mmCIF file of all heavy atoms in Angstrom:
data_model
loop_
_atom_site.group_PDB
_atom_site.id
_atom_site.type_symbol
_atom_site.label_atom_id
_atom_site.label_comp_id
_atom_site.label_asym_id
_atom_site.label_seq_id
_atom_site.Cartn_x
_atom_site.Cartn_y
_atom_site.Cartn_z
ATOM 1 N N ASN I 1 5.586 -6.203 -0.734
ATOM 2 C CA ASN I 1 4.467 -5.831 -1.611
ATOM 3 C C ASN I 1 4.868 -5.682 -3.073
ATOM 4 O O ASN I 1 4.024 -5.384 -3.915
ATOM 5 C CB ASN I 1 3.848 -4.502 -1.150
ATOM 6 C CG ASN I 1 3.025 -4.648 0.095
ATOM 7 O OD1 ASN I 1 2.434 -5.682 0.335
ATOM 8 N ND2 ASN I 1 2.988 -3.608 0.890
ATOM 9 N N TRP I 2 6.135 -5.844 -3.398
ATOM 10 C CA TRP I 2 6.602 -5.573 -4.752
ATOM 11 C C TRP I 2 5.907 -6.433 -5.812
ATOM 12 O O TRP I 2 5.566 -5.941 -6.870
ATOM 13 C CB TRP I 2 8.097 -5.793 -4.855
ATOM 14 C CG TRP I 2 8.898 -4.703 -4.204
ATOM 15 C CD1 TRP I 2 8.428 -3.529 -3.683
ATOM 16 C CD2 TRP I 2 10.301 -4.702 -3.996
ATOM 17 N NE1 TRP I 2 9.453 -2.792 -3.154
ATOM 18 C CE2 TRP I 2 10.627 -3.494 -3.337
ATOM 19 C CE3 TRP I 2 11.320 -5.585 -4.287
ATOM 20 C CZ2 TRP I 2 11.916 -3.163 -2.987
ATOM 21 C CZ3 TRP I 2 12.601 -5.249 -3.936
ATOM 22 C CH2 TRP I 2 12.891 -4.049 -3.297
ATOM 23 N N ASN I 3 5.726 -7.691 -5.537
ATOM 24 C CA ASN I 3 5.163 -8.600 -6.535
ATOM 25 C C ASN I 3 3.709 -8.966 -6.266
ATOM 26 O O ASN I 3 3.164 -9.834 -6.933
ATOM 27 C CB ASN I 3 6.009 -9.870 -6.630
ATOM 28 C CG ASN I 3 7.411 -9.564 -7.121
ATOM 29 O OD1 ASN I 3 7.596 -8.720 -7.987
ATOM 30 N ND2 ASN I 3 8.400 -10.244 -6.554
ATOM 31 N N SER I 4 3.103 -8.316 -5.312
ATOM 32 C CA SER I 4 1.728 -8.637 -4.959
ATOM 33 C C SER I 4 0.754 -7.954 -5.922
ATOM 34 O O SER I 4 0.894 -6.782 -6.244
ATOM 35 C CB SER I 4 1.427 -8.182 -3.531
ATOM 36 O OG SER I 4 0.093 -8.459 -3.206
ATOM 37 N N ARG I 5 -0.234 -8.709 -6.375
ATOM 38 C CA ARG I 5 -1.258 -8.154 -7.262
ATOM 39 C C ARG I 5 -2.591 -8.010 -6.527
ATOM 40 O O ARG I 5 -3.605 -7.716 -7.148
ATOM 41 C CB ARG I 5 -1.447 -9.060 -8.476
ATOM 42 C CG ARG I 5 -0.236 -9.105 -9.393
ATOM 43 C CD ARG I 5 -0.614 -9.841 -10.662
ATOM 44 N NE ARG I 5 0.263 -9.591 -11.781
ATOM 45 C CZ ARG I 5 0.256 -8.510 -12.542
ATOM 46 N NH1 ARG I 5 -0.565 -7.539 -12.279
ATOM 47 N NH2 ARG I 5 1.079 -8.404 -13.561
ATOM 48 N N SER I 6 -2.590 -8.189 -5.236
ATOM 49 C CA SER I 6 -3.847 -8.116 -4.489
ATOM 50 C C SER I 6 -4.337 -6.668 -4.390
ATOM 51 O O SER I 6 -3.576 -5.717 -4.452
ATOM 52 C CB SER I 6 -3.677 -8.728 -3.103
ATOM 53 O OG SER I 6 -2.636 -8.099 -2.411
ATOM 54 N N LEU I 7 -5.652 -6.552 -4.240
ATOM 55 C CA LEU I 7 -6.307 -5.251 -4.163
ATOM 56 C C LEU I 7 -6.972 -5.077 -2.803
ATOM 57 O O LEU I 7 -7.489 -6.030 -2.225
ATOM 58 C CB LEU I 7 -7.357 -5.119 -5.263
ATOM 59 C CG LEU I 7 -6.851 -5.204 -6.707
ATOM 60 C CD1 LEU I 7 -8.038 -5.213 -7.670
ATOM 61 C CD2 LEU I 7 -5.916 -4.070 -7.022
ATOM 62 N N VAL I 8 -6.981 -3.873 -2.319
ATOM 63 C CA VAL I 8 -7.676 -3.538 -1.081
ATOM 64 C C VAL I 8 -9.035 -2.993 -1.479
ATOM 65 O O VAL I 8 -9.128 -2.082 -2.309
ATOM 66 C CB VAL I 8 -6.885 -2.499 -0.269
ATOM 67 C CG1 VAL I 8 -7.663 -2.054 0.947
ATOM 68 C CG2 VAL I 8 -5.533 -3.063 0.130
ATOM 69 N N ALA I 9 -10.087 -3.543 -0.935
ATOM 70 C CA ALA I 9 -11.472 -3.164 -1.239
ATOM 71 C C ALA I 9 -11.778 -3.351 -2.723
ATOM 72 O O ALA I 9 -12.654 -2.702 -3.262
ATOM 73 C CB ALA I 9 -11.754 -1.730 -0.798
ATOM 74 N N GLY I 10 -11.038 -4.211 -3.374
ATOM 75 C CA GLY I 10 -11.302 -4.544 -4.761
ATOM 76 C C GLY I 10 -10.839 -3.536 -5.796
ATOM 77 O O GLY I 10 -10.978 -3.762 -6.981
ATOM 78 N N VAL I 11 -10.278 -2.396 -5.369
ATOM 79 C CA VAL I 11 -9.891 -1.370 -6.341
ATOM 80 C C VAL I 11 -8.497 -0.785 -6.125
ATOM 81 O O VAL I 11 -7.883 -0.308 -7.059
ATOM 82 C CB VAL I 11 -10.908 -0.206 -6.351
ATOM 83 C CG1 VAL I 11 -12.245 -0.640 -6.881
ATOM 84 C CG2 VAL I 11 -11.041 0.414 -4.981
ATOM 85 N N LEU I 12 -8.006 -0.794 -4.908
ATOM 86 C CA LEU I 12 -6.755 -0.109 -4.576
ATOM 87 C C LEU I 12 -5.620 -1.119 -4.468
ATOM 88 O O LEU I 12 -5.698 -2.047 -3.666
ATOM 89 C CB LEU I 12 -6.928 0.642 -3.254
ATOM 90 C CG LEU I 12 -5.862 1.631 -2.857
ATOM 91 C CD1 LEU I 12 -5.809 2.771 -3.863
ATOM 92 C CD2 LEU I 12 -6.174 2.201 -1.486
ATOM 93 N N PRO I 13 -4.574 -0.970 -5.274
ATOM 94 C CA PRO I 13 -3.445 -1.893 -5.171
ATOM 95 C C PRO I 13 -2.844 -1.866 -3.764
ATOM 96 O O PRO I 13 -2.787 -0.815 -3.122
ATOM 97 C CB PRO I 13 -2.438 -1.365 -6.198
ATOM 98 C CG PRO I 13 -3.242 -0.530 -7.123
ATOM 99 C CD PRO I 13 -4.380 0.024 -6.328
ATOM 100 N N ILE I 14 -2.405 -3.005 -3.290
ATOM 101 C CA ILE I 14 -1.909 -3.135 -1.922
ATOM 102 C C ILE I 14 -0.721 -2.211 -1.657
ATOM 103 O O ILE I 14 -0.592 -1.639 -0.578
ATOM 104 C CB ILE I 14 -1.576 -4.607 -1.580
ATOM 105 C CG1 ILE I 14 -1.273 -4.792 -0.094
ATOM 106 C CG2 ILE I 14 -0.420 -5.104 -2.406
ATOM 107 C CD1 ILE I 14 -2.461 -4.734 0.775
ATOM 108 N N GLY I 15 0.142 -2.032 -2.653
ATOM 109 C CA GLY I 15 1.288 -1.146 -2.476
ATOM 110 C C GLY I 15 0.875 0.295 -2.251
ATOM 111 O O GLY I 15 1.448 1.013 -1.421
ATOM 112 N N LEU I 16 -0.132 0.750 -2.973
ATOM 113 C CA LEU I 16 -0.632 2.110 -2.816
ATOM 114 C C LEU I 16 -1.327 2.277 -1.457
ATOM 115 O O LEU I 16 -1.136 3.290 -0.773
ATOM 116 C CB LEU I 16 -1.590 2.462 -3.945
ATOM 117 C CG LEU I 16 -2.119 3.885 -3.990
ATOM 118 C CD1 LEU I 16 -0.985 4.883 -4.074
ATOM 119 C CD2 LEU I 16 -3.071 4.052 -5.155
ATOM 120 N N ALA I 17 -2.102 1.297 -1.070
ATOM 121 C CA ALA I 17 -2.764 1.350 0.239
ATOM 122 C C ALA I 17 -1.726 1.349 1.365
ATOM 123 O O ALA I 17 -1.863 2.092 2.343
ATOM 124 C CB ALA I 17 -3.711 0.169 0.391
ATOM 125 N N TYR I 18 -0.687 0.538 1.203
ATOM 126 C CA TYR I 18 0.377 0.486 2.212
ATOM 127 C C TYR I 18 1.047 1.850 2.342
ATOM 128 O O TYR I 18 1.278 2.338 3.448
ATOM 129 C CB TYR I 18 1.407 -0.584 1.845
ATOM 130 C CG TYR I 18 2.530 -0.669 2.840
ATOM 131 C CD1 TYR I 18 2.391 -1.426 3.995
ATOM 132 C CD2 TYR I 18 3.723 0.017 2.638
ATOM 133 C CE1 TYR I 18 3.414 -1.496 4.920
ATOM 134 C CE2 TYR I 18 4.740 -0.041 3.558
ATOM 135 C CZ TYR I 18 4.586 -0.798 4.698
ATOM 136 O OH TYR I 18 5.595 -0.859 5.622
ATOM 137 N N HIS I 19 1.338 2.481 1.224
ATOM 138 C CA HIS I 19 2.018 3.772 1.295
ATOM 139 C C HIS I 19 1.105 4.879 1.802
ATOM 140 O O HIS I 19 1.597 5.853 2.395
ATOM 141 C CB HIS I 19 2.642 4.125 -0.051
ATOM 142 C CG HIS I 19 3.961 3.462 -0.236
ATOM 143 N ND1 HIS I 19 5.107 3.925 0.352
ATOM 144 C CD2 HIS I 19 4.312 2.349 -0.897
ATOM 145 C CE1 HIS I 19 6.112 3.138 0.044
ATOM 146 N NE2 HIS I 19 5.649 2.163 -0.713
ATOM 147 N N ALA I 20 -0.188 4.764 1.601
ATOM 148 C CA ALA I 20 -1.116 5.724 2.194
ATOM 149 C C ALA I 20 -1.077 5.608 3.716
ATOM 150 O O ALA I 20 -1.012 6.615 4.430
ATOM 151 C CB ALA I 20 -2.526 5.503 1.671
ATOM 152 N N LEU I 21 -1.082 4.381 4.212
ATOM 153 C CA LEU I 21 -0.973 4.173 5.662
ATOM 154 C C LEU I 21 0.405 4.581 6.172
ATOM 155 O O LEU I 21 0.538 5.144 7.258
ATOM 156 C CB LEU I 21 -1.265 2.714 6.014
ATOM 157 C CG LEU I 21 -2.711 2.293 5.833
ATOM 158 C CD1 LEU I 21 -2.866 0.789 6.061
ATOM 159 C CD2 LEU I 21 -3.603 3.071 6.789
ATOM 160 N N TYR I 22 1.432 4.329 5.365
ATOM 161 C CA TYR I 22 2.784 4.715 5.745
ATOM 162 C C TYR I 22 2.891 6.236 5.871
ATOM 163 O O TYR I 22 3.544 6.746 6.784
ATOM 164 C CB TYR I 22 3.807 4.197 4.725
ATOM 165 C CG TYR I 22 5.186 4.702 5.023
ATOM 166 C CD1 TYR I 22 5.965 4.101 6.000
ATOM 167 C CD2 TYR I 22 5.698 5.808 4.359
ATOM 168 C CE1 TYR I 22 7.211 4.590 6.302
ATOM 169 C CE2 TYR I 22 6.949 6.295 4.659
ATOM 170 C CZ TYR I 22 7.701 5.681 5.628
ATOM 171 O OH TYR I 22 8.938 6.167 5.936
ATOM 172 N N ALA I 23 2.266 6.973 4.967
ATOM 173 C CA ALA I 23 2.288 8.434 5.035
ATOM 174 C C ALA I 23 1.634 8.921 6.329
ATOM 175 O O ALA I 23 2.114 9.879 6.953
ATOM 176 C CB ALA I 23 1.590 9.032 3.826
ATOM 177 N N CYS I 24 0.560 8.274 6.746
ATOM 178 C CA CYS I 24 -0.075 8.627 8.025
ATOM 179 C C CYS I 24 0.858 8.330 9.187
ATOM 180 O O CYS I 24 0.958 9.122 10.137
ATOM 181 C CB CYS I 24 -1.394 7.880 8.177
ATOM 182 S SG CYS I 24 -2.648 8.380 6.988
ATOM 183 N N LEU I 25 1.559 7.200 9.129
ATOM 184 C CA LEU I 25 2.515 6.844 10.173
ATOM 185 C C LEU I 25 3.660 7.853 10.224
ATOM 186 O O LEU I 25 4.061 8.297 11.296
ATOM 187 C CB LEU I 25 3.066 5.436 9.927
ATOM 188 C CG LEU I 25 4.218 4.999 10.830
ATOM 189 C CD1 LEU I 25 3.735 4.864 12.268
ATOM 190 C CD2 LEU I 25 4.804 3.693 10.335
ATOM 191 N N ALA I 26 4.191 8.239 9.069
ATOM 192 C CA ALA I 26 5.281 9.212 9.026
ATOM 193 C C ALA I 26 4.815 10.563 9.572
ATOM 194 O O ALA I 26 5.565 11.245 10.282
ATOM 195 C CB ALA I 26 5.802 9.358 7.602
ATOM 196 N N SER I 27 3.590 10.942 9.265
ATOM 197 C CA SER I 27 3.037 12.180 9.789
ATOM 198 C C SER I 27 2.910 12.125 11.315
ATOM 199 O O SER I 27 3.242 13.095 12.009
ATOM 200 C CB SER I 27 1.681 12.443 9.153
ATOM 201 O OG SER I 27 1.083 13.582 9.696
ATOM 202 N N ALA I 28 2.453 11.011 11.829
ATOM 203 C CA ALA I 28 2.344 10.844 13.279
ATOM 204 C C ALA I 28 3.727 10.882 13.927
ATOM 205 O O ALA I 28 3.904 11.466 15.007
ATOM 206 C CB ALA I 28 1.638 9.530 13.610
#
């Protein structure tokens, strides 16, 4: 995801969305 400029839902950078999901995974 380092060089990706894609957005999730048109507003959230993919790296930030990935780390939000990663935080949920780490919590689980």
Side-chain angles (χ1 to χ4, degrees):
N1 286 329
W2 286 353
N3 296 322
S4 178
R5 293 189 161 282
S6 56
L7 299 174
V8 175
V11 293
L12 192 64
I14 189 74
L16 185 58
Y18 179 84
H19 278 282
L21 290 174
Y22 174 80
C24 294
L25 172 67
S27 176

